[in-house]
């Protein structure tokens, strides 16, 4: 067998170096894929959380609009002068004509307790 020449040793060394560099690059690529998988999982979790917050914000916005609408109705009702007085005067007239609590509730929009109280006071 003949001895290996310098060229052969250089080829063997280059091949060994190529194997080392190739395995190193393969290891780096595998780590990169694992890290990318973790980043994707984190992004998915953050996206779900963001969607949940968005839905909550939309729901709260709707609820606030409903509350504002109810508040405006109450505010308008409070601004109308003597509306309650007119209602009680009308209820008083109806009771004096013999109306029942149910009739007061229907015609005047009174609460049941108010209507029953008016009927019992007028009948005494």
């Amino acid at each position: 067998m003949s001895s290996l020449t310098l060229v052969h040793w250089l080829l063997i060394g280059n091949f060994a170096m190529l194997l080392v560099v190739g395995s190193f690059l393969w290891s780096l690529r595998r780590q990169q894929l694992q890290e990318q998988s973790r980043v994707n999982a984190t992004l998915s979790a953050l996206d779900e959380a963001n969607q949940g917050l968005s839905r909550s914000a939309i729901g709260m916005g709707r609820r606030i609009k409903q509350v504002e609408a109810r508040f405006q109705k109450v505010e308008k009702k409070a601004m109308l002068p003597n509306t309650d007085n007119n209602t009680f005067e009308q209820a008083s007239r109806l009771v004096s004509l013999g109306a029942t609590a149910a009739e007061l509730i229907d015609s005047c929009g009174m609460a049941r307790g108010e209507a029953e109280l008016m009927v019992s006071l007028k009948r005494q």
Side-chain angles (χ1 to χ4, degrees), residues 39-82:
V39 167
N40 286 341
T42 302
L43 284 175
S44 294
L46 289 174
D47 187 45
E48 288 177 21
N50 187 30
Q51 288 177 1
L53 286 173
S54 295
R55 286 190 295 270
S56 295
I58 290 169
M60 287 300 293
R62 288 180 183 152
R63 183 69 179 142
I64 288 171
K65 283 187 175 186
Q66 290 173 350
V67 169
E68 285 178 346
R70 289 175 66 191
F71 177 74
Q72 287 175 355
K73 286 180 184 177
V74 168
E75 192 175 41
K76 284 180 183 177
K77 189 174 182 180
M79 293 296 206
L80 294 175
N82 299 328

